[in-house]
Amino acid sequence: MTSNATQTAIEASPALTQAERNRALLYLTQTRNCMIGALKTLSGAQWTFKPGPDRWSIAEIVEHVLFVLERVDGPVREKLAMDPESPVHPDYKLVDDIIIFQFPNRLSRFPSPMPPSGGVDQAQAADRLLATYARLAKCIETAAVLRNHSLPAAPLKLVSQGAYEMMDGYQWIIAAAAHTERHTKQVLEVIADPAFPM
């Protein structure tokens, strides 16, 4: 049962501001374009090149990025929609900044929930990425309420050293973009490897 105080907090919580929508849409656009730009003109040999036995190829990186994007666009958004409404966290703006400014940092490592196989089709990868980004952007543009539904997020807990562990619907979308930014840097690391095929 929801207390009167909690119910009041839920009802009083603001919808996304236009500034928040604009910030997310700009970030989605930037991270999408950077990844697409990094993938342009890659040959088949470059797509599958592995810089070392314990490092991923660009094909594996992109497969992992698509897995996360499509997971946020599908199962995560479905779970958020079913989650009971809850009050907006008072530090939500700080958590937004943690996601955008700290998630892409390549100095920290996170375990992958599903190691990639490298089997993603190079010709279809960009189309899948663009389509998923378009759906996430549409959600930011049209969803009335994203702040009142939250789910646990292990990366946030790790990055914030346990200070925060729940991300709301808006934050899951910008986290998907931050994850793409993080792995675009990884793609560029592969391209910069001295043994990268020319």
Side-chain angles (χ1 to χ4, degrees):
M1 178 171 289
T2 305
S3 69
N4 289 338
T6 302
Q7 187 61 38
T8 301
I10 292 171
E11 291 172 354
S13 65
L16 287 180
T17 65
Q18 192 57 51
E20 287 172 320
R21 292 185 198 274
N22 290 346
R23 184 188 200 193
L25 291 170
L26 177 60
Y27 193 47
L28 284 165
T29 299
Q30 290 172 335
T31 56
R32 178 200 66 200
N33 290 351
C34 286
M35 177 60 91
I36 292 295
L39 301 182
K40 277 186 177 178
T41 72
L42 290 177
S43 68
Q46 291 168 335
W47 179 250
T48 58
F49 167 76
K50 288 175 74 78
D54 58 344
R55 295 179 64 191
W56 289 354
S57 66
I58 294 174
E60 290 170 324
I61 296 167
V62 172
E63 180 184 345
H64 174 69
V65 167
L66 288 170
F67 170 79
V68 170
L69 284 169
E70 291 168 354
R71 188 173 175 85
V72 170
D73 183 48
V76 170
R77 283 182 55 198
E78 289 167 12
K79 286 181 184 176
L80 283 164
M82 293 185 295
D83 183 68
E85 288 195 12
S86 56
V88 176
H89 195 286
D91 291 342
Y92 72 91
K93 290 183 180 179
L94 175 59
V95 174
D96 290 355
D97 287 347
I98 289 171
I99 292 166
I100 289 175
F101 296 116
Q102 295 186 36
F103 275 29
N105 187 339
R106 291 271 301 146
L107 296 177
S108 342
R109 303 292 182 187
F110 307 112
S112 173
M114 181 175 291
S117 66
V120 67
D121 184 83
Q122 184 178 358
Q124 296 176 359
D127 290 342
R128 283 174 62 188
L129 188 139
L130 290 169
T132 308
Y133 257 86
R135 290 190 295 269
L136 293 174
K138 186 72 172 174
C139 183
I140 289 290
E141 289 174 330
T142 61
V145 178
L146 286 173
R147 292 289 191 191
N148 289 122
H149 299 272
S150 301
L151 291 173
L156 177 63
K157 187 175 181 179
L158 282 169
V159 168
S160 70
Q161 298 180 342
Y164 304 102
E165 57 182 295
M166 301 291 286
M167 293 196 314
D168 63 37
Y170 177 88
Q171 290 160 350
W172 275 98
I173 291 174
I174 61 172
H179 181 263
T180 300
E181 180 182 354
R182 176 185 180 85
H183 288 289
T184 300
K185 293 176 181 179
Q186 187 181 9
V187 167
L188 297 177
E189 290 167 11
V190 174
I191 292 171
D193 190 274
F196 188 69
M198 290 291 120

